[in-house]
Amino acid sequence: MLVLITYDVNTENAAGRSRLRKVAKQCVNYGRRVQNSVFECILDNAQCVVLKAELSELIDETVDSLRFYYLGNNYKTKVEHIGVDRGIAADDVLIL
């Protein structure tokens, strides 16, 4: 299923900037960045639970926030994009 993950991490201090880098790095491990704090991830239920737990442990819930949008398996009919598309789609084949 496609999960859209957005986050807002308070970066007013060094600890916040560190949390921001850690959250972004963890999201990159599971999907692709589509905007600064927005990631598209193709996940199964188990991966989704693990990622949610990992991200929840990284943030400070008193000043940061995470949002998960579960778009399901038929997400291609639910996503519309206008403008420059950077990179490949999360479910496209990548040959190295």
Coordinates of all heavy atoms in Angstrom, one line a residue:
M1 N 0.8 -1.2 0.0 CA 0.0 0.0 0.0 C 0.9 1.2 0.0 O 2.0 1.2 0.5 CB -0.9 0.0 1.2 CG -0.3 0.4 2.5 SD -1.5 0.5 3.9 CE -0.5 -0.3 5.1
L2 N 0.4 2.3 -0.5 CA 1.1 3.6 -0.5 C 0.8 4.3 0.7 O -0.4 4.5 1.1 CB 0.7 4.4 -1.7 CG 1.4 5.8 -1.8 CD1 2.9 5.7 -2.0 CD2 0.8 6.7 -2.9
V3 N 1.8 4.8 1.5 CA 1.6 5.6 2.7 C 2.4 6.9 2.4 O 3.5 6.9 2.1 CB 2.2 4.8 3.9 CG1 2.0 5.7 5.1 CG2 1.6 3.5 4.1
L4 N 1.7 8.0 2.6 CA 2.3 9.3 2.5 C 2.6 9.7 3.9 O 1.7 9.7 4.8 CB 1.3 10.3 1.9 CG 1.8 11.6 1.5 CD1 2.7 11.5 0.3 CD2 0.7 12.5 1.1
I5 N 3.9 10.0 4.2 CA 4.3 10.4 5.5 C 4.8 11.9 5.4 O 5.6 12.3 4.6 CB 5.5 9.6 6.0 CG1 5.0 8.1 6.0 CG2 6.0 10.0 7.3 CD1 6.2 7.1 6.3
T6 N 4.2 12.7 6.3 CA 4.6 14.1 6.4 C 5.1 14.3 7.9 O 4.6 13.7 8.8 CB 3.5 15.1 6.1 OG1 2.5 15.0 7.1 CG2 2.9 14.8 4.7
Y7 N 6.0 15.2 8.0 CA 6.5 15.5 9.4 C 6.9 17.0 9.5 O 7.1 17.7 8.5 CB 7.7 14.6 9.8 CG 8.9 14.7 8.8 CD1 9.8 15.7 8.9 CD2 9.0 13.8 7.8 CE1 10.9 15.7 8.0 CE2 10.0 13.8 6.9 CZ 11.0 14.8 7.0 OH 12.0 14.9 6.1
D8 N 6.8 17.5 10.7 CA 7.2 18.8 11.1 C 8.0 18.7 12.3 O 7.5 18.3 13.4 CB 6.0 19.7 11.3 CG 6.3 21.2 11.5 OD1 7.4 21.5 11.1 OD2 5.5 21.9 12.0
V9 N 9.3 18.9 12.2 CA 10.2 18.8 13.4 C 10.7 20.2 13.7 O 11.2 20.9 12.9 CB 11.4 17.9 13.0 CG1 12.4 17.8 14.2 CG2 10.9 16.5 12.7
N10 N 10.6 20.6 15.0 CA 11.1 21.9 15.5 C 12.6 21.9 15.4 O 13.3 21.1 16.0 CB 10.6 22.1 16.9 CG 10.9 23.4 17.4 OD1 12.1 23.8 17.4 ND2 10.0 24.1 18.0
T11 N 13.1 22.9 14.6 CA 14.6 22.9 14.4 C 15.2 24.2 15.1 O 16.2 24.7 14.6 CB 14.9 22.9 13.0 OG1 14.3 24.0 12.3 CG2 14.5 21.6 12.3
E12 N 14.6 24.6 16.2 CA 15.1 25.9 16.8 C 16.4 25.6 17.6 O 17.1 26.6 18.0 CB 14.0 26.4 17.8 CG 12.8 27.0 17.0 CD 11.7 27.5 17.9 OE1 11.9 27.3 19.2 OE2 10.8 28.0 17.4
N13 N 16.7 24.3 17.8 CA 18.0 24.0 18.6 C 18.7 22.9 17.9 O 18.2 22.3 16.9 CB 17.7 23.7 20.0 CG 16.7 22.6 20.2 OD1 16.7 21.6 19.5 ND2 15.9 22.7 21.2
A14 N 19.9 22.6 18.3 CA 20.7 21.5 17.7 C 20.0 20.1 17.8 O 20.1 19.3 16.9 CB 22.1 21.5 18.3
A15 N 19.4 19.9 18.9 CA 18.7 18.6 19.1 C 17.6 18.4 18.1 O 17.4 17.3 17.5 CB 18.1 18.5 20.5
G16 N 16.8 19.5 17.8 CA 15.8 19.5 16.8 C 16.3 19.2 15.4 O 15.8 18.4 14.6
R17 N 17.4 19.9 15.1 CA 18.1 19.7 13.7 C 18.5 18.2 13.6 O 18.4 17.6 12.5 CB 19.2 20.7 13.5 CG 18.6 22.1 13.4 CD 19.7 23.1 13.0 NE 20.7 23.4 14.1 CZ 20.4 24.2 15.1 NH1 19.3 25.0 15.1 NH2 21.3 24.4 16.0
S18 N 19.0 17.7 14.7 CA 19.5 16.3 14.7 C 18.3 15.3 14.5 O 18.4 14.4 13.7 CB 20.2 15.9 16.0 OG 20.5 14.6 16.0
R19 N 17.2 15.6 15.2 CA 16.0 14.8 15.0 C 15.5 14.9 13.6 O 15.1 13.9 13.0 CB 14.8 15.3 15.9 CG 15.0 14.9 17.4 CD 13.8 15.1 18.2 NE 13.1 16.4 18.0 CZ 13.4 17.5 18.6 NH1 14.4 17.5 19.5 NH2 12.7 18.6 18.4
L20 N 15.5 16.1 13.0 CA 15.0 16.3 11.6 C 15.8 15.4 10.6 O 15.3 14.7 9.8 CB 15.2 17.7 11.2 CG 14.8 18.1 9.8 CD1 13.3 17.8 9.5 CD2 15.2 19.5 9.4
R21 N 17.2 15.4 10.8 CA 18.0 14.6 9.9 C 17.7 13.1 10.1 O 17.7 12.3 9.1 CB 19.5 14.8 10.2 CG 20.0 16.2 9.6 CD 21.5 16.3 9.7 NE 22.0 16.3 11.1 CZ 22.0 17.3 11.9 NH1 21.6 18.5 11.5 NH2 22.5 17.2 13.2
K22 N 17.5 12.7 11.4 CA 17.2 11.2 11.6 C 15.9 10.8 11.1 O 15.8 9.7 10.5 CB 17.3 11.0 13.1 CG 18.7 11.1 13.7 CD 18.6 10.9 15.2 CE 20.0 11.1 15.8 NZ 20.0 11.0 17.3
V23 N 14.9 11.7 11.2 CA 13.5 11.3 10.6 C 13.6 11.2 9.1 O 13.1 10.3 8.5 CB 12.5 12.4 11.1 CG1 11.2 12.2 10.3 CG2 12.2 12.3 12.6
A24 N 14.3 12.2 8.5 CA 14.4 12.2 7.0 C 15.2 10.9 6.5 O 14.8 10.3 5.6 CB 15.1 13.4 6.5
K25 N 16.3 10.6 7.2 CA 17.1 9.4 6.9 C 16.2 8.2 7.0 O 16.3 7.3 6.1 CB 18.3 9.3 7.7 CG 19.3 8.3 7.4 CD 20.5 8.3 8.2 CE 21.5 7.2 7.8 NZ 22.7 7.2 8.6
Q26 N 15.5 8.0 8.0 CA 14.6 6.9 8.2 C 13.6 6.8 7.1 O 13.3 5.7 6.6 CB 14.0 6.9 9.6 CG 13.4 5.6 10.0 CD 14.6 4.5 10.2 OE1 15.7 4.8 10.4 NE2 14.2 3.3 9.9
C27 N 13.0 7.9 6.7 CA 12.0 7.9 5.7 C 12.6 7.5 4.3 O 12.0 6.8 3.5 CB 11.3 9.2 5.6 SG 10.2 9.6 6.9
V28 N 13.8 8.0 4.1 CA 14.5 7.7 2.8 C 14.8 6.1 2.7 O 14.7 5.6 1.6 CB 15.9 8.4 2.7 CG1 16.8 7.8 1.6 CG2 15.6 9.9 2.5
N29 N 14.9 5.5 3.9 CA 15.2 4.0 3.9 C 13.9 3.3 3.4 O 14.0 2.1 3.0 CB 15.5 3.6 5.3 CG 16.9 4.0 5.7 OD1 17.8 4.3 4.8 ND2 17.2 4.1 7.0
Y30 N 12.8 3.9 3.5 CA 11.5 3.2 3.1 C 10.8 3.7 1.9 O 9.9 3.1 1.4 CB 10.5 3.3 4.3 CG 10.9 2.4 5.4 CD1 11.8 2.8 6.4 CD2 10.4 1.1 5.5 CE1 12.1 2.0 7.5 CE2 10.7 0.3 6.6 CZ 11.6 0.7 7.6 OH 11.9 -0.1 8.6
G31 N 11.2 4.9 1.4 CA 10.5 5.5 0.3 C 11.2 6.6 -0.4 O 12.4 6.7 -0.3
R32 N 10.5 7.4 -1.1 CA 11.1 8.5 -1.8 C 10.6 9.9 -1.3 O 9.4 10.0 -1.1 CB 11.0 8.4 -3.3 CG 9.7 8.8 -3.8 CD 9.7 8.8 -5.4 NE 8.4 9.2 -5.8 CZ 8.2 10.1 -6.8 NH1 9.2 10.5 -7.5 NH2 7.0 10.4 -7.2
R33 N 11.5 10.9 -1.3 CA 11.1 12.2 -0.9 C 10.3 12.8 -2.1 O 10.9 12.8 -3.2 CB 12.3 13.0 -0.5 CG 12.0 14.4 -0.1 CD 13.2 15.3 0.1 NE 14.1 14.7 1.1 CZ 14.2 15.1 2.4 NH1 13.5 16.0 2.8 NH2 15.1 14.5 3.1
V34 N 9.2 13.4 -1.9 CA 8.4 14.1 -3.0 C 8.4 15.6 -2.7 O 8.2 16.3 -3.6 CB 7.0 13.5 -3.2 CG1 7.1 12.1 -3.7 CG2 6.2 13.5 -1.9
Q35 N 8.5 16.0 -1.5 CA 8.7 17.4 -1.1 C 9.6 17.4 0.2 O 9.9 16.3 0.7 CB 7.3 18.1 -0.8 CG 6.6 18.2 -2.1 CD 5.3 19.0 -1.9 OE1 4.9 19.3 -0.8 NE2 4.6 19.3 -3.0
N36 N 9.9 18.6 0.7 CA 10.9 18.6 1.7 C 10.6 17.7 2.9 O 11.5 17.0 3.4 CB 11.1 20.1 2.2 CG 11.8 20.9 1.3 OD1 12.6 20.4 0.5 ND2 11.7 22.2 1.4
S37 N 9.4 17.7 3.4 CA 9.1 16.9 4.6 C 7.9 15.9 4.2 O 7.1 15.6 5.1 CB 8.7 17.8 5.7 OG 9.8 18.6 6.1
V38 N 7.9 15.5 3.0 CA 6.9 14.6 2.5 C 7.5 13.4 1.8 O 8.3 13.6 0.9 CB 5.9 15.3 1.6 CG1 4.8 14.3 1.1 CG2 5.3 16.5 2.3
F39 N 7.1 12.2 2.2 CA 7.7 11.0 1.6 C 6.5 10.1 1.1 O 5.5 9.9 1.8 CB 8.5 10.2 2.6 CG 9.9 10.8 2.7 CD1 10.1 11.9 3.6 CD2 11.0 10.3 2.1 CE1 11.4 12.4 3.7 CE2 12.2 10.8 2.2 CZ 12.4 11.9 3.0
E40 N 6.7 9.4 0.0 CA 5.8 8.3 -0.5 C 6.5 7.0 -0.2 O 7.7 6.8 -0.7 CB 5.5 8.5 -2.0 CG 4.7 9.6 -2.4 CD 4.5 9.7 -3.8 OE1 5.2 9.1 -4.6 OE2 3.6 10.5 -4.2
C41 N 5.9 6.1 0.5 CA 6.5 4.8 0.8 C 5.5 3.7 0.4 O 4.3 3.8 0.8 CB 6.7 4.7 2.3 SG 7.8 6.1 2.9
I42 N 6.0 2.7 -0.3 CA 5.2 1.5 -0.6 C 5.6 0.5 0.5 O 6.7 0.1 0.6 CB 5.6 0.9 -2.0 CG1 5.4 2.0 -3.1 CG2 4.8 -0.3 -2.3 CD1 3.9 2.3 -3.4
L43 N 4.6 0.2 1.3 CA 4.9 -0.6 2.5 C 3.8 -1.7 2.6 O 2.7 -1.5 2.2 CB 4.8 0.2 3.8 CG 5.7 1.5 3.8 CD1 5.3 2.3 5.0 CD2 7.2 1.1 3.9
D44 N 4.2 -2.8 3.2 CA 3.2 -3.8 3.7 C 2.8 -3.4 5.1 O 3.4 -2.5 5.7 CB 3.6 -5.2 3.5 CG 4.9 -5.6 4.3 OD1 5.1 -5.0 5.4 OD2 5.7 -6.4 3.9
N45 N 1.9 -4.1 5.7 CA 1.4 -3.8 7.0 C 2.5 -3.9 8.1 O 2.6 -3.0 9.0 CB 0.2 -4.7 7.5 CG -1.0 -4.3 6.7 OD1 -1.2 -3.1 6.3 ND2 -1.9 -5.2 6.6
A46 N 3.3 -4.9 8.0 CA 4.4 -5.1 9.0 C 5.4 -3.9 8.9 O 5.9 -3.4 9.9 CB 5.1 -6.4 8.8
Q47 N 5.8 -3.6 7.6 CA 6.8 -2.5 7.5 C 6.2 -1.2 8.0 O 6.9 -0.4 8.6 CB 7.1 -2.3 6.0 CG 8.0 -3.4 5.4 CD 8.1 -3.3 3.9 OE1 7.1 -3.0 3.2 NE2 9.3 -3.5 3.4
C48 N 4.9 -1.0 7.8 CA 4.3 0.3 8.2 C 4.3 0.4 9.7 O 4.6 1.4 10.3 CB 2.8 0.3 7.7 SG 2.0 1.9 7.9
V49 N 4.0 -0.7 10.4 CA 4.1 -0.7 11.9 C 5.5 -0.4 12.4 O 5.7 0.4 13.3 CB 3.6 -2.1 12.4 CG1 3.8 -2.2 13.9 CG2 2.1 -2.2 12.1
V50 N 6.5 -1.1 11.8 CA 7.9 -0.8 12.2 C 8.3 0.6 11.9 O 8.9 1.2 12.8 CB 8.8 -1.8 11.4 CG1 10.3 -1.4 11.6 CG2 8.6 -3.2 11.9
L51 N 8.0 1.1 10.7 CA 8.4 2.5 10.4 C 7.7 3.5 11.4 O 8.3 4.4 11.9 CB 8.1 2.8 9.0 CG 8.4 4.3 8.5 CD1 9.9 4.6 8.8 CD2 8.1 4.5 7.1
K52 N 6.4 3.3 11.6 CA 5.7 4.2 12.5 C 6.3 4.2 13.9 O 6.5 5.2 14.5 CB 4.2 3.8 12.6 CG 3.4 4.7 13.3 CD 1.9 4.3 13.2 CE 1.0 5.1 14.0 NZ -0.4 4.7 13.9
A53 N 6.7 3.0 14.4 CA 7.3 2.9 15.7 C 8.7 3.6 15.7 O 9.1 4.3 16.7 CB 7.5 1.5 16.1
E54 N 9.5 3.4 14.7 CA 10.8 4.0 14.6 C 10.7 5.5 14.6 O 11.5 6.2 15.3 CB 11.6 3.5 13.3 CG 12.0 2.0 13.4 CD 12.5 1.5 12.1 OE1 12.3 2.1 11.0 OE2 13.1 0.4 12.1
L55 N 9.8 6.0 13.7 CA 9.7 7.5 13.7 C 9.1 8.1 14.9 O 9.6 9.2 15.4 CB 8.8 7.9 12.5 CG 9.3 7.6 11.1 CD1 8.3 7.9 10.0 CD2 10.6 8.3 10.8
S56 N 8.2 7.4 15.6 CA 7.6 7.9 16.8 C 8.7 8.0 17.9 O 8.6 8.9 18.8 CB 6.5 6.9 17.3 OG 5.4 7.0 16.4
E57 N 9.7 7.1 17.9 CA 10.8 7.1 18.9 C 11.7 8.3 18.6 O 12.4 8.7 19.5 CB 11.5 5.8 18.9 CG 10.6 4.7 19.4 CD 11.4 3.7 20.3 OE1 12.6 3.9 20.5 OE2 10.7 2.8 20.8
L58 N 11.8 8.7 17.3 CA 12.8 9.7 17.0 C 12.3 11.1 17.3 O 13.1 12.0 17.7 CB 13.1 9.7 15.5 CG 13.9 8.5 15.0 CD1 14.0 8.5 13.5 CD2 15.3 8.5 15.6
I59 N 11.0 11.4 17.3 CA 10.5 12.7 17.4 C 10.3 13.1 18.9 O 10.2 12.2 19.8 CB 9.2 13.0 16.6 CG1 8.1 12.2 17.2 CG2 9.5 12.7 15.2 CD1 6.7 12.7 16.7
D60 N 10.1 14.3 19.2 CA 9.7 14.8 20.5 C 8.3 15.2 20.3 O 8.0 16.3 19.7 CB 10.6 16.1 20.9 CG 10.2 16.7 22.2 OD1 9.1 16.3 22.7 OD2 10.9 17.5 22.7
E61 N 7.4 14.4 20.9 CA 5.9 14.7 20.6 C 5.4 16.0 21.2 O 4.3 16.4 20.9 CB 5.1 13.5 21.2 CG 5.4 12.2 20.4 CD 4.5 11.1 20.9 OE1 3.5 11.3 21.5 OE2 4.8 9.9 20.5
T62 N 6.2 16.6 22.0 CA 5.8 17.9 22.6 C 5.9 19.1 21.6 O 5.3 20.1 21.8 CB 6.5 18.3 23.9 OG1 7.9 18.4 23.7 CG2 6.2 17.2 25.0
V63 N 6.8 18.9 20.6 CA 7.1 20.0 19.7 C 7.1 19.6 18.2 O 7.1 20.4 17.3 CB 8.4 20.7 20.0 CG1 8.3 21.5 21.3 CG2 9.6 19.8 20.0
D64 N 7.1 18.3 17.9 CA 7.2 17.7 16.6 C 5.9 17.0 16.2 O 5.1 16.7 17.1 CB 8.3 16.7 16.4 CG 9.7 17.3 16.8 OD1 9.9 18.5 16.7 OD2 10.6 16.5 17.2
S65 N 5.7 16.8 14.9 CA 4.5 16.0 14.6 C 4.8 15.1 13.4 O 5.6 15.5 12.5 CB 3.3 16.9 14.3 OG 3.5 17.7 13.1
L66 N 4.1 14.0 13.3 CA 4.1 13.1 12.2 C 2.6 12.9 11.7 O 1.7 12.9 12.5 CB 4.6 11.7 12.6 CG 6.1 11.5 12.9 CD1 6.3 10.2 13.6 CD2 6.9 11.6 11.7
R67 N 2.5 12.7 10.4 CA 1.2 12.4 9.8 C 1.4 11.3 8.8 O 2.3 11.3 8.0 CB 0.5 13.6 9.1 CG 0.1 14.7 10.1 CD -0.5 15.9 9.4 NE -1.8 15.5 8.9 CZ -2.9 15.8 9.6 NH1 -2.9 16.4 10.8 NH2 -4.1 15.5 9.0
F68 N 0.5 10.3 8.9 CA 0.5 9.1 8.0 C -0.8 9.1 7.2 O -1.9 9.1 7.8 CB 0.6 7.8 8.8 CG 1.9 7.7 9.5 CD1 2.1 8.3 10.8 CD2 3.0 7.1 9.0 CE1 3.3 8.2 11.5 CE2 4.2 6.9 9.7 CZ 4.3 7.5 10.9
Y69 N -0.7 9.1 5.9 CA -1.9 9.0 5.0 C -1.9 7.7 4.3 O -0.9 7.4 3.6 CB -1.9 10.2 4.0 CG -2.0 11.5 4.6 CD1 -0.8 12.2 5.0 CD2 -3.2 12.2 4.8 CE1 -0.9 13.5 5.5 CE2 -3.3 13.4 5.4 CZ -2.1 14.1 5.7 OH -2.2 15.3 6.3
Y70 N -2.8 6.8 4.6 CA -2.9 5.5 4.1 C -3.7 5.5 2.8 O -4.9 5.5 2.8 CB -3.4 4.5 5.1 CG -2.7 4.6 6.4 CD1 -3.1 5.3 7.5 CD2 -1.4 3.9 6.5 CE1 -2.4 5.3 8.7 CE2 -0.7 3.9 7.7 CZ -1.2 4.7 8.8 OH -0.5 4.7 9.9
L71 N -3.0 5.5 1.6 CA -3.7 5.6 0.4 C -4.1 4.2 -0.3 O -4.7 4.2 -1.3 CB -2.9 6.4 -0.6 CG -2.6 7.8 -0.2 CD1 -1.7 8.6 -1.2 CD2 -3.9 8.6 0.1
G72 N -3.6 3.2 0.3 CA -4.0 1.8 -0.1 C -3.2 1.3 -1.3 O -2.2 1.9 -1.8
N73 N -3.8 0.3 -1.9 CA -3.1 -0.3 -3.1 C -3.6 0.3 -4.4 O -2.9 0.2 -5.4 CB -3.4 -1.9 -3.1 CG -2.7 -2.6 -2.0 OD1 -1.6 -2.2 -1.6 ND2 -3.3 -3.5 -1.3
N74 N -4.7 0.9 -4.4 CA -5.2 1.6 -5.7 C -4.9 3.1 -5.6 O -5.7 3.9 -6.1 CB -6.7 1.3 -5.8 CG -7.0 -0.1 -6.0 OD1 -6.3 -0.8 -6.7 ND2 -8.1 -0.6 -5.4
Y75 N -3.7 3.4 -5.2 CA -3.3 4.8 -5.0 C -3.2 5.6 -6.3 O -3.3 6.8 -6.3 CB -2.0 4.9 -4.1 CG -0.9 4.2 -4.8 CD1 -0.1 4.9 -5.7 CD2 -0.6 2.9 -4.6 CE1 1.0 4.3 -6.3 CE2 0.5 2.3 -5.2 CZ 1.3 3.0 -6.1 OH 2.3 2.3 -6.7
K76 N -2.9 4.9 -7.4 CA -2.7 5.6 -8.6 C -3.9 6.4 -9.1 O -3.7 7.5 -9.7 CB -2.2 4.7 -9.7 CG -0.8 4.1 -9.4 CD -0.3 3.2 -10.5 CE 1.1 2.7 -10.1 NZ 1.7 1.9 -11.1
T77 N -5.1 6.1 -8.6 CA -6.2 6.8 -9.0 C -6.5 7.9 -7.9 O -7.4 8.7 -8.1 CB -7.5 5.9 -9.0 OG1 -7.7 5.3 -7.7 CG2 -7.3 4.8 -10.1
K78 N -5.7 8.0 -6.9 CA -5.9 8.9 -5.8 C -4.8 10.0 -5.7 O -4.9 10.9 -4.9 CB -5.9 8.2 -4.4 CG -7.0 7.2 -4.3 CD -6.9 6.4 -3.0 CE -8.0 5.3 -3.0 NZ -7.8 4.5 -1.8
V79 N -3.8 9.9 -6.6 CA -2.7 10.9 -6.6 C -2.7 11.6 -7.9 O -2.6 11.0 -9.0 CB -1.4 10.2 -6.3 CG1 -0.2 11.1 -6.4 CG2 -1.4 9.4 -5.0
E80 N -2.7 12.9 -7.8 CA -2.5 13.7 -9.0 C -1.3 14.6 -8.8 O -1.2 15.2 -7.8 CB -3.8 14.6 -9.2 CG -3.7 15.5 -10.5 CD -5.0 16.3 -10.7 OE1 -6.0 16.1 -9.9 OE2 -5.0 17.1 -11.6
H81 N -0.5 14.7 -9.8 CA 0.7 15.6 -9.7 C 0.7 16.6 -10.8 O 0.5 16.2 -12.0 CB 2.0 14.7 -9.8 CG 3.2 15.4 -9.7 ND1 3.8 15.7 -8.5 CD2 4.0 16.0 -10.7 CE1 4.9 16.5 -8.7 NE2 5.0 16.7 -10.1
I82 N 1.1 17.8 -10.5 CA 1.3 18.9 -11.5 C 2.6 19.5 -11.3 O 3.0 19.8 -10.1 CB 0.1 19.9 -11.3 CG1 -1.2 19.3 -11.6 CG2 0.4 21.1 -12.3 CD1 -2.4 20.2 -11.2
G83 N 3.4 19.7 -12.3 CA 4.7 20.3 -12.2 C 5.8 19.3 -12.3 O 5.6 18.2 -12.7
V84 N 7.0 19.8 -12.0 CA 8.2 19.0 -12.1 C 8.1 17.8 -11.1 O 7.8 17.9 -10.0 CB 9.4 19.8 -11.8 CG1 10.7 19.0 -11.8 CG2 9.6 21.0 -12.7
D85 N 8.4 16.6 -11.7 CA 8.4 15.4 -10.9 C 9.9 15.0 -10.8 O 10.5 14.6 -11.7 CB 7.6 14.3 -11.5 CG 7.4 13.1 -10.6 OD1 7.7 13.2 -9.4 OD2 6.9 12.1 -11.1
R86 N 10.4 15.0 -9.6 CA 11.8 14.7 -9.3 C 11.9 13.2 -9.0 O 11.3 12.8 -8.0 CB 12.4 15.6 -8.2 CG 12.5 17.0 -8.7 CD 13.0 17.9 -7.5 NE 13.2 19.3 -8.0 CZ 12.3 20.2 -8.2 NH1 11.0 19.9 -8.0 NH2 12.6 21.4 -8.6
G87 N 12.7 12.5 -9.7 CA 13.0 11.1 -9.3 C 12.0 10.2 -10.0 O 11.2 10.6 -10.8
I88 N 12.1 8.9 -9.6 CA 11.2 7.9 -10.1 C 10.1 7.6 -9.1 O 10.3 7.9 -7.9 CB 12.0 6.6 -10.4 CG1 12.6 6.0 -9.1 CG2 13.1 6.8 -11.4 CD1 13.2 4.6 -9.3
A89 N 9.1 7.0 -9.5 CA 7.9 6.7 -8.7 C 8.4 5.6 -7.7 O 9.3 4.8 -7.9 CB 6.8 6.2 -9.5
A90 N 7.8 5.6 -6.5 CA 8.2 4.7 -5.4 C 8.0 3.2 -5.8 O 8.7 2.4 -5.3 CB 7.3 4.9 -4.2
D91 N 7.1 2.9 -6.8 CA 7.0 1.5 -7.2 C 7.5 1.2 -8.6 O 7.3 0.1 -9.1 CB 5.5 1.2 -7.2 CG 4.7 2.0 -8.1 OD1 5.2 3.0 -8.6 OD2 3.5 1.6 -8.4
D92 N 8.3 2.2 -9.2 CA 9.0 1.9 -10.4 C 10.2 1.0 -10.3 O 10.8 1.0 -9.2 CB 9.4 3.2 -11.1 CG 8.3 3.9 -11.9 OD1 7.2 3.2 -12.1 OD2 8.5 5.0 -12.4
V93 N 10.6 0.3 -11.3 CA 11.8 -0.5 -11.3 C 13.0 0.4 -11.4 O 13.0 1.3 -12.3 CB 11.7 -1.5 -12.4 CG1 13.0 -2.4 -12.5 CG2 10.5 -2.4 -12.3
L94 N 14.0 0.1 -10.6 CA 15.3 0.8 -10.7 C 16.4 -0.2 -11.0 O 16.6 -1.1 -10.2 CB 15.5 1.6 -9.4 CG 16.8 2.3 -9.3 CD1 16.9 3.4 -10.3 CD2 17.0 2.9 -7.9
I95 N 17.0 -0.1 -12.1 CA 18.1 -1.0 -12.4 C 19.4 -0.3 -12.3 O 19.7 0.8 -12.8 CB 18.0 -1.5 -13.9 CG1 16.6 -2.2 -14.0 CG2 19.1 -2.4 -14.3 CD1 16.3 -2.6 -15.4
L96 N 20.3 -0.8 -11.5 CA 21.6 -0.2 -11.2 C 22.7 -0.9 -12.0 O 22.7 -2.1 -12.2 CB 22.0 -0.2 -9.8 CG 21.0 0.5 -8.9 CD1 21.3 0.3 -7.4 CD2 21.0 2.0 -9.2

